Amino acid sequence: MSLRIVVCVKYVPDASGDRGFADDLTVDREGVDGLLSELDEYAVEQALRISEAADGDASVTVLTVGPEDAREAVRKALSMGADAGIHVEDDDLHGSDVMGTSLVVASAVERAGFDLVVCGMASTDGVMGVLPALLAERLGVAQLSLLSEVSVAGGVVSGRRDGDVASEVVEAELPAVVSVTDQSGEARYPSFKGIMAAKKKKVESWDLEELELDAELVGSAGAWTAVDGVEARAARSAGTVVKDEGEGGRGVAEFLASRKFV
Amino acid sequence: MADVLVVVDHVEGSVRKPTLELLTVARRLGTPVAVALGAGAGQTAGVLAGHGASRVLVSEASEFADFLVVPKVDAVQRAVELVDPVAVLFVSSGENKEIAARLALRLESGVITDAVDVEAGEDGRPVAVQSAFAASYTTRSRVTRGIPVITVKPNSAPVEPVEGAGAVEELAVDFAAGVRGARVVSRSARESTGRPELTEAAIVVSGGRGLGSGENFALIEALADALGGAVGASRAAVDAGWYPHAHQVGQTGKSVSPQLYIASGISGAIQHRAGMQTSKTIVAINKDAEAPIFDLVDYGVVGDLHTVVPQLTEEINKRKG
């Protein structure tokens, strides 16, 4: 029995660019370059390692939801070695909150067919980190999230979850949803061969109709939260910067005392 | 007044400070009712009552420790049915955000995570303030459907002792069939350093690449101890194996918002700034006068941290003594 792995990835505004909001208070995707969310590269990497450990008896399908450009995120994952791609794109998705997005992702994952869903720990734009949990809830399967190690053997997925107060070894029967942290293992760079091979790989394009989802359930119309205001944070007023001439440490102590920290 | 459900973070019955901050936030929206789950939950009642909780719902079922996330979702859902609150508040953490999101989905309610402040809006319903894109923006949001479920970051509100009735009630939970899906096979407690937890500390002292070695983190630890603060590390320092990942501050690590943040030997790449930019007061020590961290500071020293930091630690200890 072949292991069907679906990796969920997101195309996000580049953090080193000038990120901001559009007039309708959604994330501005025009004014800044996008890329595959760095934290999702770890998810792709772990999916590929699990697939490799299955000696070829596995498939890795990369799934993204987003506007036209988001296909780039799928392409990047394909060039790393994923087998196939799915891009869910529909104008009615604009303005979706995490509830709407998780509905679309869950529907697409179900349609694709899966034994294991692998996600990154959070997107680097919204940074909520709740999509994997919502997917597990919607799909009615086990959730193993925030794993710093993950492996699959004999129909069981297991891993290590490092919390604030304890580190846990956890496991669940497949099917399951997992999310992995940036401690799970450095993501590979696409090789030239991988980039060439990716061009031949199939990326399916689905819209809401194909997922049999009502437009009212997603986008701004289906959002259960609303953003009322966005303000650019006032630039910090320039602080004091001094050169250490031998009294630098005492200068800091003096400053801390003036702010009552000492 | 309407009830607001506050989900308690505690370790073996010892309530963590961000929960007390959450009770302050809850009182702006109504009367706090606390729900404490897991071993030692019953011992939390006194402290919670002392910070305004009118009731404390308690369940010490073993499911909370043996299985991931879902048992707590079941329990908080049960508490919501019992209390019928106007909002449910959690302290932001990886696990709590997941519990909050799954709960919200079941309640057909919106969820907001990582609020840095929550106020009562014109209609009394909560308005959440969040910080976006490495703290370059502040947003105001609200839940438009169902019972608002909101997670609030540590250090978002002051701790205010207020006497509440603190009536303790046993919470009877019928766990859903799927609760045993994700098993905890074993658990090893983190070794306590005796220092405050990174995300809830009022003072954080962080070290980066400029330290030059893992051994030199002793300089950072000594300064943190002099100030009673937590120790943080940049991704570069963690990737080099100089300090454990649990202490990483930044986009892929922890996000901190202390009263005072001291960055030593950290240049201040956007990924690091994303995790500390909402700190109230920022101090940096770095050899490179051009380091981007200096754009953020209230006070900065261009100099060698290997001499500046020990001198600072010594001076603080002298002033304390």
PDB file of all heavy atoms in Angstrom, chain A residues 197-233:
ATOM      1  N   ALA A 197      13.416  18.749 -13.831  1.00  0.00           N
ATOM      2  CA  ALA A 197      12.369  17.721 -13.702  1.00  0.00           C
ATOM      3  C   ALA A 197      11.039  18.357 -13.287  1.00  0.00           C
ATOM      4  O   ALA A 197       9.971  17.920 -13.726  1.00  0.00           O
ATOM      5  CB  ALA A 197      12.798  16.678 -12.672  1.00  0.00           C
ATOM      6  N   ALA A 198      11.112  19.409 -12.474  1.00  0.00           N
ATOM      7  CA  ALA A 198       9.896  20.046 -11.970  1.00  0.00           C
ATOM      8  C   ALA A 198       9.058  20.627 -13.099  1.00  0.00           C
ATOM      9  O   ALA A 198       7.833  20.672 -13.030  1.00  0.00           O
ATOM     10  CB  ALA A 198      10.262  21.139 -10.963  1.00  0.00           C
ATOM     11  N   LYS A 199       9.754  21.069 -14.154  1.00  0.00           N
ATOM     12  CA  LYS A 199       9.033  21.678 -15.282  1.00  0.00           C
ATOM     13  C   LYS A 199       8.072  20.679 -15.932  1.00  0.00           C
ATOM     14  O   LYS A 199       7.085  21.059 -16.536  1.00  0.00           O
ATOM     15  CB  LYS A 199      10.026  22.184 -16.335  1.00  0.00           C
ATOM     16  CG  LYS A 199      10.862  23.374 -15.857  1.00  0.00           C
ATOM     17  CD  LYS A 199      11.723  23.892 -17.012  1.00  0.00           C
ATOM     18  CE  LYS A 199      12.859  24.770 -16.557  1.00  0.00           C
ATOM     19  NZ  LYS A 199      12.430  26.020 -15.907  1.00  0.00           N
ATOM     20  N   LYS A 200       8.406  19.398 -15.820  1.00  0.00           N
ATOM     21  CA  LYS A 200       7.573  18.372 -16.460  1.00  0.00           C
ATOM     22  C   LYS A 200       6.481  17.851 -15.531  1.00  0.00           C
ATOM     23  O   LYS A 200       5.617  17.100 -15.954  1.00  0.00           O
ATOM     24  CB  LYS A 200       8.448  17.191 -16.901  1.00  0.00           C
ATOM     25  CG  LYS A 200       9.513  17.578 -17.915  1.00  0.00           C
ATOM     26  CD  LYS A 200      10.005  16.336 -18.663  1.00  0.00           C
ATOM     27  CE  LYS A 200      11.151  16.661 -19.603  1.00  0.00           C
ATOM     28  NZ  LYS A 200      12.470  16.540 -18.947  1.00  0.00           N
ATOM     29  N   LYS A 201       6.564  18.222 -14.252  1.00  0.00           N
ATOM     30  CA  LYS A 201       5.575  17.694 -13.304  1.00  0.00           C
ATOM     31  C   LYS A 201       4.254  18.437 -13.413  1.00  0.00           C
ATOM     32  O   LYS A 201       4.206  19.619 -13.718  1.00  0.00           O
ATOM     33  CB  LYS A 201       6.117  17.780 -11.870  1.00  0.00           C
ATOM     34  CG  LYS A 201       7.259  16.815 -11.620  1.00  0.00           C
ATOM     35  CD  LYS A 201       7.864  17.027 -10.256  1.00  0.00           C
ATOM     36  CE  LYS A 201       9.072  16.110 -10.071  1.00  0.00           C
ATOM     37  NZ  LYS A 201       9.851  16.477  -8.866  1.00  0.00           N
ATOM     38  N   LYS A 202       3.195  17.701 -13.122  1.00  0.00           N
ATOM     39  CA  LYS A 202       1.855  18.231 -13.314  1.00  0.00           C
ATOM     40  C   LYS A 202       1.402  19.052 -12.101  1.00  0.00           C
ATOM     41  O   LYS A 202       1.552  18.626 -10.960  1.00  0.00           O
ATOM     42  CB  LYS A 202       0.919  17.034 -13.497  1.00  0.00           C
ATOM     43  CG  LYS A 202      -0.410  17.392 -14.121  1.00  0.00           C
ATOM     44  CD  LYS A 202      -1.182  16.122 -14.440  1.00  0.00           C
ATOM     45  CE  LYS A 202      -2.663  16.408 -14.334  1.00  0.00           C
ATOM     46  NZ  LYS A 202      -3.468  15.210 -14.155  1.00  0.00           N
ATOM     47  N   VAL A 203       0.871  20.241 -12.368  1.00  0.00           N
ATOM     48  CA  VAL A 203       0.235  21.010 -11.292  1.00  0.00           C
ATOM     49  C   VAL A 203      -1.237  21.164 -11.659  1.00  0.00           C
ATOM     50  O   VAL A 203      -1.584  21.802 -12.646  1.00  0.00           O
ATOM     51  CB  VAL A 203       0.871  22.403 -11.126  1.00  0.00           C
ATOM     52  CG1 VAL A 203       0.159  23.181 -10.010  1.00  0.00           C
ATOM     53  CG2 VAL A 203       2.352  22.283 -10.824  1.00  0.00           C
ATOM     54  N   GLU A 204      -2.089  20.534 -10.882  1.00  0.00           N
ATOM     55  CA  GLU A 204      -3.520  20.653 -11.155  1.00  0.00           C
ATOM     56  C   GLU A 204      -4.026  21.981 -10.609  1.00  0.00           C
ATOM     57  O   GLU A 204      -3.533  22.483  -9.601  1.00  0.00           O
ATOM     58  CB  GLU A 204      -4.275  19.515 -10.474  1.00  0.00           C
ATOM     59  CG  GLU A 204      -4.019  18.181 -11.140  1.00  0.00           C
ATOM     60  CD  GLU A 204      -5.034  17.150 -10.701  1.00  0.00           C
ATOM     61  OE1 GLU A 204      -6.245  17.447 -10.770  1.00  0.00           O
ATOM     62  OE2 GLU A 204      -4.600  16.065 -10.283  1.00  0.00           O
ATOM     63  N   SER A 205      -5.007  22.528 -11.293  1.00  0.00           N
ATOM     64  CA  SER A 205      -5.597  23.779 -10.835  1.00  0.00           C
ATOM     65  C   SER A 205      -7.063  23.524 -10.493  1.00  0.00           C
ATOM     66  O   SER A 205      -7.823  23.053 -11.335  1.00  0.00           O
ATOM     67  CB  SER A 205      -5.469  24.814 -11.958  1.00  0.00           C
ATOM     68  OG  SER A 205      -5.844  26.057 -11.458  1.00  0.00           O
ATOM     69  N   TRP A 206      -7.421  23.781  -9.250  1.00  0.00           N
ATOM     70  CA  TRP A 206      -8.803  23.573  -8.803  1.00  0.00           C
ATOM     71  C   TRP A 206      -9.406  24.895  -8.364  1.00  0.00           C
ATOM     72  O   TRP A 206      -8.710  25.763  -7.839  1.00  0.00           O
ATOM     73  CB  TRP A 206      -8.859  22.605  -7.607  1.00  0.00           C
ATOM     74  CG  TRP A 206      -8.402  21.211  -7.923  1.00  0.00           C
ATOM     75  CD1 TRP A 206      -8.129  20.686  -9.162  1.00  0.00           C
ATOM     76  CD2 TRP A 206      -8.122  20.162  -6.980  1.00  0.00           C
ATOM     77  NE1 TRP A 206      -7.725  19.385  -9.052  1.00  0.00           N
ATOM     78  CE2 TRP A 206      -7.709  19.039  -7.734  1.00  0.00           C
ATOM     79  CE3 TRP A 206      -8.200  20.067  -5.586  1.00  0.00           C
ATOM     80  CZ2 TRP A 206      -7.358  17.825  -7.118  1.00  0.00           C
ATOM     81  CZ3 TRP A 206      -7.865  18.864  -4.975  1.00  0.00           C
ATOM     82  CH2 TRP A 206      -7.452  17.755  -5.741  1.00  0.00           C
ATOM     83  N   ASP A 207     -10.710  25.024  -8.557  1.00  0.00           N
ATOM     84  CA  ASP A 207     -11.402  26.194  -8.011  1.00  0.00           C
ATOM     85  C   ASP A 207     -12.497  25.719  -7.046  1.00  0.00           C
ATOM     86  O   ASP A 207     -12.618  24.520  -6.780  1.00  0.00           O
ATOM     87  CB  ASP A 207     -11.956  27.090  -9.127  1.00  0.00           C
ATOM     88  CG  ASP A 207     -12.951  26.357 -10.021  1.00  0.00           C
ATOM     89  OD1 ASP A 207     -13.381  25.239  -9.642  1.00  0.00           O
ATOM     90  OD2 ASP A 207     -13.293  26.893 -11.089  1.00  0.00           O
ATOM     91  N   LEU A 208     -13.274  26.665  -6.540  1.00  0.00           N
ATOM     92  CA  LEU A 208     -14.279  26.317  -5.531  1.00  0.00           C
ATOM     93  C   LEU A 208     -15.311  25.335  -6.063  1.00  0.00           C
ATOM     94  O   LEU A 208     -15.788  24.460  -5.349  1.00  0.00           O
ATOM     95  CB  LEU A 208     -14.983  27.587  -5.023  1.00  0.00           C
ATOM     96  CG  LEU A 208     -14.123  28.491  -4.137  1.00  0.00           C
ATOM     97  CD1 LEU A 208     -14.887  29.775  -3.801  1.00  0.00           C
ATOM     98  CD2 LEU A 208     -13.713  27.774  -2.861  1.00  0.00           C
ATOM     99  N   GLU A 209     -15.638  25.477  -7.349  1.00  0.00           N
ATOM    100  CA  GLU A 209     -16.641  24.599  -7.933  1.00  0.00           C
ATOM    101  C   GLU A 209     -16.161  23.145  -7.895  1.00  0.00           C
ATOM    102  O   GLU A 209     -16.911  22.234  -7.535  1.00  0.00           O
ATOM    103  CB  GLU A 209     -16.903  25.046  -9.371  1.00  0.00           C
ATOM    104  CG  GLU A 209     -18.224  24.559  -9.917  1.00  0.00           C
ATOM    105  CD  GLU A 209     -18.465  25.072 -11.330  1.00  0.00           C
ATOM    106  OE1 GLU A 209     -18.055  26.223 -11.624  1.00  0.00           O
ATOM    107  OE2 GLU A 209     -19.027  24.323 -12.128  1.00  0.00           O
ATOM    108  N   GLU A 210     -14.871  22.985  -8.229  1.00  0.00           N
ATOM    109  CA  GLU A 210     -14.337  21.626  -8.211  1.00  0.00           C
ATOM    110  C   GLU A 210     -14.327  21.042  -6.799  1.00  0.00           C
ATOM    111  O   GLU A 210     -14.420  19.839  -6.609  1.00  0.00           O
ATOM    112  CB  GLU A 210     -12.913  21.617  -8.784  1.00  0.00           C
ATOM    113  CG  GLU A 210     -12.919  21.024 -10.174  1.00  0.00           C
ATOM    114  CD  GLU A 210     -11.830  21.576 -11.059  1.00  0.00           C
ATOM    115  OE1 GLU A 210     -11.491  22.767 -10.894  1.00  0.00           O
ATOM    116  OE2 GLU A 210     -11.341  20.826 -11.891  1.00  0.00           O
ATOM    117  N   LEU A 211     -14.166  21.922  -5.806  1.00  0.00           N
ATOM    118  CA  LEU A 211     -14.155  21.452  -4.414  1.00  0.00           C
ATOM    119  C   LEU A 211     -15.576  21.400  -3.846  1.00  0.00           C
ATOM    120  O   LEU A 211     -15.769  21.057  -2.680  1.00  0.00           O
ATOM    121  CB  LEU A 211     -13.278  22.368  -3.559  1.00  0.00           C
ATOM    122  CG  LEU A 211     -11.790  22.370  -3.919  1.00  0.00           C
ATOM    123  CD1 LEU A 211     -11.038  23.384  -3.060  1.00  0.00           C
ATOM    124  CD2 LEU A 211     -11.182  20.984  -3.751  1.00  0.00           C
ATOM    125  N   GLU A 212     -16.552  21.765  -4.673  1.00  0.00           N
ATOM    126  CA  GLU A 212     -17.964  21.780  -4.264  1.00  0.00           C
ATOM    127  C   GLU A 212     -18.167  22.618  -3.005  1.00  0.00           C
ATOM    128  O   GLU A 212     -18.852  22.227  -2.060  1.00  0.00           O
ATOM    129  CB  GLU A 212     -18.472  20.338  -4.063  1.00  0.00           C
ATOM    130  CG  GLU A 212     -18.459  19.558  -5.370  1.00  0.00           C
ATOM    131  CD  GLU A 212     -18.840  18.087  -5.197  1.00  0.00           C
ATOM    132  OE1 GLU A 212     -19.224  17.704  -4.086  1.00  0.00           O
ATOM    133  OE2 GLU A 212     -18.740  17.354  -6.188  1.00  0.00           O
ATOM    134  N   LEU A 213     -17.503  23.784  -3.011  1.00  0.00           N
ATOM    135  CA  LEU A 213     -17.639  24.707  -1.873  1.00  0.00           C
ATOM    136  C   LEU A 213     -18.394  25.951  -2.309  1.00  0.00           C
ATOM    137  O   LEU A 213     -18.143  26.502  -3.381  1.00  0.00           O
ATOM    138  CB  LEU A 213     -16.265  25.119  -1.354  1.00  0.00           C
ATOM    139  CG  LEU A 213     -15.484  24.073  -0.557  1.00  0.00           C
ATOM    140  CD1 LEU A 213     -14.100  24.610  -0.214  1.00  0.00           C
ATOM    141  CD2 LEU A 213     -16.236  23.689   0.715  1.00  0.00           C
ATOM    142  N   ASP A 214     -19.295  26.380  -1.457  1.00  0.00           N
ATOM    143  CA  ASP A 214     -20.081  27.577  -1.694  1.00  0.00           C
ATOM    144  C   ASP A 214     -19.203  28.809  -1.423  1.00  0.00           C
ATOM    145  O   ASP A 214     -18.552  28.889  -0.381  1.00  0.00           O
ATOM    146  CB  ASP A 214     -21.265  27.536  -0.710  1.00  0.00           C
ATOM    147  CG  ASP A 214     -22.274  28.634  -0.983  1.00  0.00           C
ATOM    148  OD1 ASP A 214     -21.913  29.600  -1.678  1.00  0.00           O
ATOM    149  OD2 ASP A 214     -23.407  28.503  -0.497  1.00  0.00           O
ATOM    150  N   ALA A 215     -19.218  29.770  -2.346  1.00  0.00           N
ATOM    151  CA  ALA A 215     -18.391  30.976  -2.191  1.00  0.00           C
ATOM    152  C   ALA A 215     -18.725  31.750  -0.915  1.00  0.00           C
ATOM    153  O   ALA A 215     -17.880  32.436  -0.348  1.00  0.00           O
ATOM    154  CB  ALA A 215     -18.555  31.882  -3.409  1.00  0.00           C
ATOM    155  N   GLU A 216     -19.954  31.607  -0.441  1.00  0.00           N
ATOM    156  CA  GLU A 216     -20.364  32.316   0.787  1.00  0.00           C
ATOM    157  C   GLU A 216     -19.595  31.845   2.021  1.00  0.00           C
ATOM    158  O   GLU A 216     -19.552  32.521   3.041  1.00  0.00           O
ATOM    159  CB  GLU A 216     -21.870  32.082   1.052  1.00  0.00           C
ATOM    160  CG  GLU A 216     -22.779  32.682   0.013  1.00  0.00           C
ATOM    161  CD  GLU A 216     -22.702  34.200   0.008  1.00  0.00           C
ATOM    162  OE1 GLU A 216     -22.906  34.780   1.094  1.00  0.00           O
ATOM    163  OE2 GLU A 216     -22.403  34.773  -1.050  1.00  0.00           O
ATOM    164  N   LEU A 217     -19.027  30.632   1.931  1.00  0.00           N
ATOM    165  CA  LEU A 217     -18.344  30.050   3.092  1.00  0.00           C
ATOM    166  C   LEU A 217     -16.898  30.504   3.202  1.00  0.00           C
ATOM    167  O   LEU A 217     -16.231  30.240   4.186  1.00  0.00           O
ATOM    168  CB  LEU A 217     -18.377  28.516   3.007  1.00  0.00           C
ATOM    169  CG  LEU A 217     -19.764  27.866   3.045  1.00  0.00           C
ATOM    170  CD1 LEU A 217     -19.658  26.364   2.822  1.00  0.00           C
ATOM    171  CD2 LEU A 217     -20.453  28.167   4.377  1.00  0.00           C
ATOM    172  N   VAL A 218     -16.389  31.153   2.162  1.00  0.00           N
ATOM    173  CA  VAL A 218     -14.976  31.534   2.161  1.00  0.00           C
ATOM    174  C   VAL A 218     -14.836  33.026   1.846  1.00  0.00           C
ATOM    175  O   VAL A 218     -15.837  33.734   1.725  1.00  0.00           O
ATOM    176  CB  VAL A 218     -14.174  30.686   1.131  1.00  0.00           C
ATOM    177  CG1 VAL A 218     -14.239  29.219   1.493  1.00  0.00           C
ATOM    178  CG2 VAL A 218     -14.696  30.945  -0.274  1.00  0.00           C
ATOM    179  N   GLY A 219     -13.592  33.468   1.691  1.00  0.00           N
ATOM    180  CA  GLY A 219     -13.349  34.864   1.352  1.00  0.00           C
ATOM    181  C   GLY A 219     -13.832  35.791   2.458  1.00  0.00           C
ATOM    182  O   GLY A 219     -14.123  35.355   3.571  1.00  0.00           O
ATOM    183  N   SER A 220     -13.945  37.072   2.138  1.00  0.00           N
ATOM    184  CA  SER A 220     -14.408  38.044   3.138  1.00  0.00           C
ATOM    185  C   SER A 220     -15.811  37.686   3.613  1.00  0.00           C
ATOM    186  O   SER A 220     -16.140  37.855   4.786  1.00  0.00           O
ATOM    187  CB  SER A 220     -14.427  39.452   2.545  1.00  0.00           C
ATOM    188  OG  SER A 220     -13.261  39.689   1.809  1.00  0.00           O
ATOM    189  N   ALA A 221     -16.644  37.168   2.674  1.00  0.00           N
ATOM    190  CA  ALA A 221     -18.032  36.842   3.004  1.00  0.00           C
ATOM    191  C   ALA A 221     -18.122  35.785   4.094  1.00  0.00           C
ATOM    192  O   ALA A 221     -18.985  35.857   4.963  1.00  0.00           O
ATOM    193  CB  ALA A 221     -18.765  36.356   1.751  1.00  0.00           C
ATOM    194  N   GLY A 222     -17.207  34.824   4.065  1.00  0.00           N
ATOM    195  CA  GLY A 222     -17.274  33.715   5.004  1.00  0.00           C
ATOM    196  C   GLY A 222     -16.372  33.882   6.217  1.00  0.00           C
ATOM    197  O   GLY A 222     -16.266  32.964   7.034  1.00  0.00           O
ATOM    198  N   ALA A 223     -15.704  35.036   6.332  1.00  0.00           N
ATOM    199  CA  ALA A 223     -14.773  35.221   7.448  1.00  0.00           C
ATOM    200  C   ALA A 223     -15.528  35.418   8.761  1.00  0.00           C
ATOM    201  O   ALA A 223     -16.574  36.066   8.773  1.00  0.00           O
ATOM    202  CB  ALA A 223     -13.857  36.410   7.179  1.00  0.00           C
ATOM    203  N   TRP A 224     -15.019  34.838   9.836  1.00  0.00           N
ATOM    204  CA  TRP A 224     -15.648  34.965  11.157  1.00  0.00           C
ATOM    205  C   TRP A 224     -14.913  35.993  12.009  1.00  0.00           C
ATOM    206  O   TRP A 224     -15.169  36.126  13.209  1.00  0.00           O
ATOM    207  CB  TRP A 224     -15.687  33.605  11.860  1.00  0.00           C
ATOM    208  CG  TRP A 224     -16.524  32.589  11.135  1.00  0.00           C
ATOM    209  CD1 TRP A 224     -17.344  32.811  10.067  1.00  0.00           C
ATOM    210  CD2 TRP A 224     -16.621  31.193  11.423  1.00  0.00           C
ATOM    211  NE1 TRP A 224     -17.950  31.642   9.667  1.00  0.00           N
ATOM    212  CE2 TRP A 224     -17.517  30.629  10.484  1.00  0.00           C
ATOM    213  CE3 TRP A 224     -16.042  30.364  12.385  1.00  0.00           C
ATOM    214  CZ2 TRP A 224     -17.836  29.270  10.485  1.00  0.00           C
ATOM    215  CZ3 TRP A 224     -16.370  29.012  12.374  1.00  0.00           C
ATOM    216  CH2 TRP A 224     -17.256  28.475  11.443  1.00  0.00           C
ATOM    217  N   THR A 225     -13.959  36.679  11.391  1.00  0.00           N
ATOM    218  CA  THR A 225     -13.243  37.760  12.072  1.00  0.00           C
ATOM    219  C   THR A 225     -13.168  38.929  11.095  1.00  0.00           C
ATOM    220  O   THR A 225     -13.261  38.728   9.882  1.00  0.00           O
ATOM    221  CB  THR A 225     -11.804  37.351  12.444  1.00  0.00           C
ATOM    222  OG1 THR A 225     -11.182  36.779  11.299  1.00  0.00           O
ATOM    223  CG2 THR A 225     -11.769  36.345  13.586  1.00  0.00           C
ATOM    224  N   ALA A 226     -13.005  40.144  11.617  1.00  0.00           N
ATOM    225  CA  ALA A 226     -12.867  41.314  10.752  1.00  0.00           C
ATOM    226  C   ALA A 226     -11.753  42.201  11.280  1.00  0.00           C
ATOM    227  O   ALA A 226     -11.608  42.366  12.492  1.00  0.00           O
ATOM    228  CB  ALA A 226     -14.177  42.096  10.716  1.00  0.00           C
ATOM    229  N   VAL A 227     -10.966  42.730  10.356  1.00  0.00           N
ATOM    230  CA  VAL A 227      -9.942  43.706  10.733  1.00  0.00           C
ATOM    231  C   VAL A 227     -10.563  45.094  10.559  1.00  0.00           C
ATOM    232  O   VAL A 227     -11.026  45.434   9.480  1.00  0.00           O
ATOM    233  CB  VAL A 227      -8.690  43.564   9.844  1.00  0.00           C
ATOM    234  CG1 VAL A 227      -7.637  44.600  10.234  1.00  0.00           C
ATOM    235  CG2 VAL A 227      -8.116  42.161   9.954  1.00  0.00           C
ATOM    236  N   ASP A 228     -10.589  45.864  11.637  1.00  0.00           N
ATOM    237  CA  ASP A 228     -11.200  47.190  11.574  1.00  0.00           C
ATOM    238  C   ASP A 228     -10.199  48.293  11.292  1.00  0.00           C
ATOM    239  O   ASP A 228     -10.555  49.345  10.769  1.00  0.00           O
ATOM    240  CB  ASP A 228     -11.900  47.514  12.895  1.00  0.00           C
ATOM    241  CG  ASP A 228     -13.132  46.659  13.100  1.00  0.00           C
ATOM    242  OD1 ASP A 228     -13.735  46.255  12.089  1.00  0.00           O
ATOM    243  OD2 ASP A 228     -13.485  46.379  14.252  1.00  0.00           O
ATOM    244  N   GLY A 229      -8.955  48.059  11.685  1.00  0.00           N
ATOM    245  CA  GLY A 229      -7.984  49.127  11.487  1.00  0.00           C
ATOM    246  C   GLY A 229      -6.567  48.602  11.427  1.00  0.00           C
ATOM    247  O   GLY A 229      -6.229  47.604  12.063  1.00  0.00           O
ATOM    248  N   VAL A 230      -5.755  49.268  10.609  1.00  0.00           N
ATOM    249  CA  VAL A 230      -4.340  48.930  10.499  1.00  0.00           C
ATOM    250  C   VAL A 230      -3.560  50.228  10.578  1.00  0.00           C
ATOM    251  O   VAL A 230      -3.884  51.192   9.896  1.00  0.00           O
ATOM    252  CB  VAL A 230      -4.037  48.253   9.143  1.00  0.00           C
ATOM    253  CG1 VAL A 230      -2.540  48.093   8.956  1.00  0.00           C
ATOM    254  CG2 VAL A 230      -4.726  46.906   9.032  1.00  0.00           C
ATOM    255  N   GLU A 231      -2.582  50.247  11.449  1.00  0.00           N
ATOM    256  CA  GLU A 231      -1.752  51.454  11.569  1.00  0.00           C
ATOM    257  C   GLU A 231      -0.303  51.046  11.462  1.00  0.00           C
ATOM    258  O   GLU A 231       0.097  50.060  12.087  1.00  0.00           O
ATOM    259  CB  GLU A 231      -1.917  52.053  12.966  1.00  0.00           C
ATOM    260  CG  GLU A 231      -2.964  53.115  13.114  1.00  0.00           C
ATOM    261  CD  GLU A 231      -3.025  53.555  14.569  1.00  0.00           C
ATOM    262  OE1 GLU A 231      -2.029  54.149  15.033  1.00  0.00           O
ATOM    263  OE2 GLU A 231      -4.039  53.260  15.228  1.00  0.00           O
ATOM    264  N   ALA A 232       0.469  51.828  10.700  1.00  0.00           N
ATOM    265  CA  ALA A 232       1.909  51.597  10.702  1.00  0.00           C
ATOM    266  C   ALA A 232       2.408  52.003  12.077  1.00  0.00           C
ATOM    267  O   ALA A 232       2.000  53.021  12.617  1.00  0.00           O
ATOM    268  CB  ALA A 232       2.577  52.412   9.615  1.00  0.00           C
ATOM    269  N   ARG A 233       3.249  51.168  12.654  1.00  0.00           N
ATOM    270  CA  ARG A 233       3.772  51.471  13.982  1.00  0.00           C
ATOM    271  C   ARG A 233       4.702  52.670  13.863  1.00  0.00           C
ATOM    272  O   ARG A 233       5.534  52.736  12.955  1.00  0.00           O
ATOM    273  CB  ARG A 233       4.549  50.261  14.478  1.00  0.00           C
ATOM    274  CG  ARG A 233       4.946  50.282  15.922  1.00  0.00           C
ATOM    275  CD  ARG A 233       5.695  48.973  16.202  1.00  0.00           C
ATOM    276  NE  ARG A 233       6.536  49.080  17.358  1.00  0.00           N
ATOM    277  CZ  ARG A 233       6.164  48.722  18.586  1.00  0.00           C
ATOM    278  NH1 ARG A 233       4.958  48.248  18.791  1.00  0.00           N
ATOM    279  NH2 ARG A 233       6.999  48.835  19.588  1.00  0.00           N
TER     280      ARG A 233
END
